[in-house]
Amino acid sequence: MVQPLSRVERRKQDTRRDILDAAFECFAERGYHPTSITHIAKRVGIAQGTFYLYFQSKRDIIEQVIDDLVERLTSTLAALPPDAPGTLGDYRQQADHIAESLTGVFADDPRAARLLLLQAAAVDDEMAERVLTIYDLAAGIQATYLQHGVDAGYFRADLDVESAARAVNGMLFAAVMYQLRNPSPQAFESLTRTIRDIIIHGLTGATQP
């Protein structure tokens, strides 16, 4: 049986969340580099020393945000195994589930998505390399879905799976970035549906869904 958190532990969790919220707001208003620990602590209403009880630095905040996002993304995709679709119709249904699931991850906290997609790569060279590694990881996962389609016969036999995976992910990440600027669920659904149609027609050569 899970024991309920003590009042002290709940207060610590609340303070940590407040620091994250304040950091996101400061990054959005000022940018990452112009934001100081003092700005974040002042926004929360805590002493600067209190910040270091929860985070080593403002960079540590981005590290933890990315860790959390990667864990949620990989867990979401792991629940949708690439070898599940046996037909093109099955793949279309799975693609719908993937789009909905990934949208949910980013929709949970758009600020985290903004930080990952727009700001993290500008932090330093090491962080830029990590962001690129995440894109490579996502492309690798996408490639397994496409390779299964080739093996199962519902995607073209001559498909360049690696390049196609990067192209598909490029469209999906761009859709998320458009959503950050103009958060319209209807527009986002229309855009992702169009992307799925492009995938179906482009990767299969089919003229009908």
Side-chain angles (χ1 to χ4, degrees), residues 117-141:
L117 297 176
L118 298 179
Q119 294 185 327
V123 171
D124 54 37
D125 290 343
E126 181 182 349
M127 184 60 69
E129 182 60 30
R130 185 169 184 205
V131 171
L132 291 174
T133 300
I134 292 172
Y135 290 152
D136 286 340
L137 173 64
I141 294 173

Short mmCIF file of all heavy atoms in Angstrom, two decimals, residues 117-141:
data_model
loop_
_atom_site.label_atom_id
_atom_site.label_comp_id
_atom_site.label_asym_id
_atom_site.label_seq_id
_atom_site.Cartn_x
_atom_site.Cartn_y
_atom_site.Cartn_z
N LEU A 117 11.74 22.13 -28.41
CA LEU A 117 11.80 22.35 -29.86
C LEU A 117 12.41 23.68 -30.26
O LEU A 117 12.96 23.81 -31.36
CB LEU A 117 10.39 22.23 -30.45
CG LEU A 117 9.72 20.86 -30.30
CD1 LEU A 117 8.29 20.91 -30.83
CD2 LEU A 117 10.51 19.79 -31.02
N LEU A 118 12.30 24.70 -29.40
CA LEU A 118 12.72 26.03 -29.80
C LEU A 118 13.91 26.59 -29.02
O LEU A 118 14.66 27.40 -29.56
CB LEU A 118 11.54 27.01 -29.66
CG LEU A 118 10.31 26.72 -30.52
CD1 LEU A 118 9.22 27.75 -30.25
CD2 LEU A 118 10.67 26.71 -31.99
N GLN A 119 14.08 26.19 -27.76
CA GLN A 119 15.09 26.85 -26.95
C GLN A 119 16.27 25.97 -26.56
O GLN A 119 17.39 26.46 -26.43
CB GLN A 119 14.45 27.42 -25.68
CG GLN A 119 13.46 28.54 -25.93
CD GLN A 119 12.94 29.15 -24.64
OE1 GLN A 119 12.80 28.48 -23.63
NE2 GLN A 119 12.66 30.44 -24.66
N ALA A 120 16.02 24.68 -26.35
CA ALA A 120 17.06 23.83 -25.78
C ALA A 120 18.33 23.80 -26.62
O ALA A 120 19.44 23.83 -26.09
CB ALA A 120 16.53 22.42 -25.58
N ALA A 121 18.18 23.73 -27.94
CA ALA A 121 19.36 23.62 -28.81
C ALA A 121 20.26 24.85 -28.75
O ALA A 121 21.44 24.78 -29.12
CB ALA A 121 18.93 23.37 -30.25
N ALA A 122 19.73 25.97 -28.27
CA ALA A 122 20.52 27.21 -28.21
C ALA A 122 21.25 27.36 -26.88
O ALA A 122 21.98 28.33 -26.69
CB ALA A 122 19.61 28.41 -28.44
N VAL A 123 21.07 26.41 -25.96
CA VAL A 123 21.68 26.53 -24.64
C VAL A 123 23.20 26.44 -24.75
O VAL A 123 23.93 27.31 -24.28
CB VAL A 123 21.14 25.43 -23.70
CG1 VAL A 123 21.94 25.39 -22.39
CG2 VAL A 123 19.67 25.68 -23.41
N ASP A 124 23.70 25.37 -25.36
CA ASP A 124 25.13 25.19 -25.60
C ASP A 124 25.30 24.03 -26.57
O ASP A 124 24.33 23.37 -26.95
CB ASP A 124 25.92 24.96 -24.29
CG ASP A 124 25.38 23.80 -23.46
OD1 ASP A 124 24.94 22.79 -24.05
OD2 ASP A 124 25.40 23.91 -22.22
N ASP A 125 26.54 23.80 -26.98
CA ASP A 125 26.80 22.76 -27.98
C ASP A 125 26.40 21.38 -27.47
O ASP A 125 25.89 20.55 -28.23
CB ASP A 125 28.28 22.76 -28.38
CG ASP A 125 28.66 23.98 -29.19
OD1 ASP A 125 27.75 24.65 -29.71
OD2 ASP A 125 29.87 24.27 -29.29
N GLU A 126 26.66 21.11 -26.20
CA GLU A 126 26.32 19.80 -25.64
C GLU A 126 24.81 19.55 -25.68
O GLU A 126 24.35 18.46 -26.03
CB GLU A 126 26.84 19.70 -24.21
CG GLU A 126 26.55 18.35 -23.55
CD GLU A 126 27.04 18.29 -22.11
OE1 GLU A 126 27.78 19.21 -21.69
OE2 GLU A 126 26.69 17.33 -21.41
N MET A 127 24.05 20.59 -25.32
CA MET A 127 22.60 20.45 -25.33
C MET A 127 22.07 20.35 -26.76
O MET A 127 21.13 19.59 -27.03
CB MET A 127 21.94 21.64 -24.61
CG MET A 127 20.42 21.52 -24.50
SD MET A 127 19.88 20.05 -23.57
CE MET A 127 20.43 20.47 -21.92
N ALA A 128 22.68 21.08 -27.68
CA ALA A 128 22.27 20.98 -29.09
C ALA A 128 22.48 19.57 -29.60
O ALA A 128 21.64 19.01 -30.32
CB ALA A 128 23.07 21.97 -29.93
N GLU A 129 23.60 18.96 -29.22
CA GLU A 129 23.87 17.58 -29.63
C GLU A 129 22.85 16.63 -29.02
O GLU A 129 22.41 15.67 -29.66
CB GLU A 129 25.29 17.18 -29.21
CG GLU A 129 25.70 15.78 -29.63
CD GLU A 129 25.68 15.56 -31.13
OE1 GLU A 129 25.91 16.54 -31.86
OE2 GLU A 129 25.43 14.41 -31.56
N ARG A 130 22.45 16.90 -27.79
CA ARG A 130 21.46 16.03 -27.15
C ARG A 130 20.12 16.13 -27.85
O ARG A 130 19.43 15.13 -28.03
CB ARG A 130 21.30 16.40 -25.68
CG ARG A 130 20.37 15.41 -25.00
CD ARG A 130 20.34 15.50 -23.52
NE ARG A 130 19.47 14.45 -23.02
CZ ARG A 130 18.85 14.49 -21.87
NH1 ARG A 130 18.99 15.52 -21.07
NH2 ARG A 130 18.07 13.49 -21.48
N VAL A 131 19.73 17.33 -28.24
CA VAL A 131 18.47 17.50 -28.97
C VAL A 131 18.52 16.74 -30.28
O VAL A 131 17.55 16.05 -30.67
CB VAL A 131 18.18 18.99 -29.21
CG1 VAL A 131 16.99 19.16 -30.15
CG2 VAL A 131 17.90 19.70 -27.88
N LEU A 132 19.65 16.84 -30.99
CA LEU A 132 19.79 16.10 -32.25
C LEU A 132 19.74 14.59 -32.02
O LEU A 132 19.19 13.84 -32.84
CB LEU A 132 21.11 16.48 -32.92
CG LEU A 132 21.20 17.91 -33.47
CD1 LEU A 132 22.61 18.20 -33.98
CD2 LEU A 132 20.17 18.14 -34.57
N THR A 133 20.28 14.15 -30.89
CA THR A 133 20.23 12.73 -30.56
C THR A 133 18.79 12.27 -30.33
O THR A 133 18.41 11.16 -30.71
CB THR A 133 21.07 12.44 -29.30
OG1 THR A 133 22.44 12.80 -29.55
CG2 THR A 133 21.00 10.97 -28.91
N ILE A 134 17.99 13.15 -29.73
CA ILE A 134 16.57 12.82 -29.52
C ILE A 134 15.86 12.69 -30.86
O ILE A 134 15.05 11.78 -31.07
CB ILE A 134 15.90 13.91 -28.66
CG1 ILE A 134 16.47 13.86 -27.24
CG2 ILE A 134 14.38 13.73 -28.65
CD1 ILE A 134 16.02 15.02 -26.37
N TYR A 135 16.18 13.59 -31.80
CA TYR A 135 15.59 13.49 -33.14
C TYR A 135 16.01 12.17 -33.81
O TYR A 135 15.20 11.52 -34.48
CB TYR A 135 16.03 14.67 -34.01
CG TYR A 135 15.42 15.99 -33.61
CD1 TYR A 135 16.09 17.18 -33.86
CD2 TYR A 135 14.19 16.06 -32.98
CE1 TYR A 135 15.55 18.41 -33.50
CE2 TYR A 135 13.63 17.27 -32.61
CZ TYR A 135 14.31 18.45 -32.87
OH TYR A 135 13.77 19.64 -32.51
N ASP A 136 17.28 11.79 -33.61
CA ASP A 136 17.75 10.52 -34.18
C ASP A 136 17.01 9.34 -33.55
O ASP A 136 16.65 8.38 -34.24
CB ASP A 136 19.25 10.36 -33.95
CG ASP A 136 20.08 11.26 -34.85
OD1 ASP A 136 19.56 11.71 -35.88
OD2 ASP A 136 21.26 11.52 -34.51
N LEU A 137 16.80 9.41 -32.25
CA LEU A 137 16.06 8.35 -31.56
C LEU A 137 14.65 8.24 -32.11
O LEU A 137 14.16 7.14 -32.40
CB LEU A 137 16.02 8.63 -30.06
CG LEU A 137 15.13 7.70 -29.21
CD1 LEU A 137 15.66 6.27 -29.26
CD2 LEU A 137 15.06 8.20 -27.76
N ALA A 138 13.99 9.38 -32.27
CA ALA A 138 12.63 9.39 -32.80
C ALA A 138 12.59 8.84 -34.22
O ALA A 138 11.67 8.09 -34.59
CB ALA A 138 12.06 10.82 -32.77
N ALA A 139 13.61 9.18 -35.02
CA ALA A 139 13.66 8.68 -36.40
C ALA A 139 13.87 7.17 -36.41
O ALA A 139 13.30 6.45 -37.24
CB ALA A 139 14.78 9.37 -37.18
N GLY A 140 14.69 6.68 -35.48
CA GLY A 140 14.92 5.25 -35.40
C GLY A 140 13.65 4.49 -35.05
O GLY A 140 13.37 3.42 -35.61
N ILE A 141 12.87 5.05 -34.12
CA ILE A 141 11.60 4.41 -33.75
C ILE A 141 10.64 4.44 -34.94
O ILE A 141 9.99 3.43 -35.26
CB ILE A 141 10.98 5.14 -32.54
CG1 ILE A 141 11.87 4.93 -31.30
CG2 ILE A 141 9.57 4.63 -32.27
CD1 ILE A 141 11.44 5.73 -30.10
#
